[in-house]
Amino acid sequence: METNIPTTPTPDDAALWHDGRLYLAEQRLLPDRVEFLVYDTAPAVAEAIHSMVVRGAPAIGVAAAYGVVLAARSAYGAAGSDWQAAIVPDLERLAAARPTAVNLAWAVRRLRAMIDRLDGADPVQTLLDEALLIHAEDRAANHRMGDLGAELIDGPTDVITHCNAGAIATGGYGTALGVIRSAYSAGKIRRVYADETRPWMQGARLTAWELMDSGIPVTLQADGAAASLMAGGGIGWVIVGSDRIAANGDVANKIGTYGLAVLAKYHGVKVMVAAPTSTVDMAIASGAEIPIEERDPEELLSCGGRRLAPKGCAARNPVFDVTPAALVDAIVTERGVVLAPTTQKMRALMG
């Protein structure tokens, strides 16, 4: 937001705009180091998104919106009244930074539609106002989702979450962790079990850090430990976020979410997906059409700079999977809740 910059980021500070520059919490270093990186060009923001300085679909969308502002400033400075043609390469670079998170393309499209309506005058303040609005809307949406999701939980119970869908992955407060924060405040959640989430360990590095910062009891577990935990009883919900939701309610989220949902179905545990409507992509019929990002196999073959696998070992590194709508009990958005999602129900929500 347009604000003074704190000395070190809190979980609510994934992206901040101050004095003509974008500040991003360096998520790759958390929790060992808590610091901002500063950006004043769109290509640098695109690289920050690609290299996961900032991650989490809503936070990526917010960062991209500010990246468009920086692109406009550069284009107007270089081309004057012809800035609308000069800005196109930076817009394309931002939109292509990560393919699965639909919020990225959504934010760039929203600002590009505004660009198409402007004249040759300096566009920076107009676009900045829209980027600030996108940021504020996301934060407000997360608080609304938190309240709606908490209403679904009969507590007190324990819950499992996967990856990180907290404040640091959004404009503030969080999607899945926003629900958890609201439900914990209402006395409905006793403890959160956070999957470590290989290979980037977002659960271990980010979710545990956020929940501890909020004073919410959290226990870290290996991704493969969820089944035995569910078998022991006491888990009421799996609560996760999403990077893209198809028109039929299929959900793309961090790799391992699909397997967790299958386990939940077997053990009678409900699955809740919390995501803003900017994550819903009604242009695709099902999860089969969602592009799944494949990242460098080295992320899987090594950990913390140390090689784990033997030299020459092949690896596949999809960073998302698709959970079929049939395994999802509730999709929670700022517009409302969809239970047992179908295409008809999603159309009614997005109507």
Side-chain angles (χ1 to χ4, degrees):
M1 309 290 282
E2 181 80 62
T3 183
N4 292 327
I5 300 300
T7 304
T8 56
T10 72
D12 286 299
D13 299 328
L16 297 173
W17 181 271
H18 176 70
D19 198 23
R21 308 172 87 187
L22 175 60
Y23 290 72
L24 297 177
E26 172 43 298
Q27 297 191 37
R28 298 171 301 183
L29 301 180
L30 289 168
D32 291 338
R33 288 162 55 190
V34 186
E35 62 185 49
F36 284 112
L37 296 180
V38 187
Y39 297 87
D40 53 18
T41 70
V45 174
E47 176 56 29
I49 292 169
H50 176 72
S51 63
M52 296 178 67
V53 169
V54 60
R55 32 74 45 209
I60 288 171
V62 169
Y66 289 129
V68 173
V69 177
L70 295 173
R73 186 171 68 192
S74 176
Y76 186 75
S81 61
D82 293 328
W83 67 269
Q84 285 156 309
I87 199 175
V88 171
D90 277 347
L91 296 182
E92 293 176 346
R93 188 177 292 111
L94 284 165
R98 292 195 72 188
T100 302
V102 73
N103 304 64
L104 170 60
W106 170 85
V108 174
R109 279 199 310 270
R110 176 166 162 175
L111 285 164
R112 192 162 193 168
M114 177 169 281
I115 288 168
D116 291 341
R117 297 192 298 268
L118 296 177
D119 56 24
D122 187 345
V124 172
Q125 189 59 52
T126 299
L127 295 176
L128 175 59
D129 289 344
E130 189 70 7
L132 290 167
L133 180 60
I134 287 172
H135 196 166
E137 286 174 351
D138 186 72
R139 187 185 294 267
N142 291 343
H143 281 275
R144 174 68 174 155
M145 281 184 280
D147 293 340
L148 291 173
E151 290 176 3
L152 298 176
I153 299 173
D154 295 323
T157 187
D158 296 342
V159 301
I160 297 173
T161 192
H162 188 75
C163 193
N164 173 262
I168 201 72
T170 69
Y173 197 65
T175 54
L177 291 198
V179 171
I180 287 169
R181 289 167 81 170
S182 294
Y184 180 77
S185 295
K188 292 185 172 184
I189 289 179
R190 294 185 300 254
R191 177 168 294 275
V192 180
Y193 288 87
D195 287 354
E196 61 182 357
T197 320
R198 283 279 293 154
W200 271 72
M201 313 296 273
Q202 294 98 322
R205 296 187 302 103
L206 303 176
T207 298
W209 171 66
E210 285 200 42
L211 292 172
M212 291 172 68
D213 184 80
S214 297
I216 298 174
V218 56
T219 296
L220 186 67
Q221 64 180 1
D223 294 0
S228 61
L229 180 65
M230 291 182 194
I235 302 297
W237 286 87
V238 169
I239 306 175
V240 297
S242 177
D243 287 75
R244 187 178 302 209
I245 300 173
N248 69 340
D250 290 350
V251 174
N253 193 50
K254 187 57 56 185
I255 190 75
T257 304
Y258 176 30
L260 191 61
V262 171
L263 292 172
K265 188 75 169 180
Y266 179 81
H267 290 96
V269 174
K270 294 181 179 180
V271 174
M272 183 190 307
V273 177
T277 50
S278 57
T279 302
V280 179
D281 188 353
M282 296 302 290
I284 58 173
S286 74
E289 299 177 47
I290 297 176
I292 299 300
E293 179 183 1
E294 293 253 3
R295 292 182 65 87
D296 187 349
E298 192 59 32
E299 295 176 353
L300 198 65
L301 297 168
S302 301
C303 185
R306 177 177 176 268
R307 180 81 176 192
L308 298 177
K311 185 177 180 180
C313 180
R316 59 184 292 265
N317 188 21
V319 291
F320 300 96
D321 55 26
V322 175
T323 299
L327 297 178
V328 177
D329 293 278
I331 294 176
V332 178
T333 78
E334 78 281 9
R335 293 190 189 179
V337 176
V338 177
L339 301 177
T342 63
T343 301
Q344 184 178 9
K345 291 178 181 179
M346 295 301 297
R347 284 176 179 164
L349 173 76
M350 300 299 290

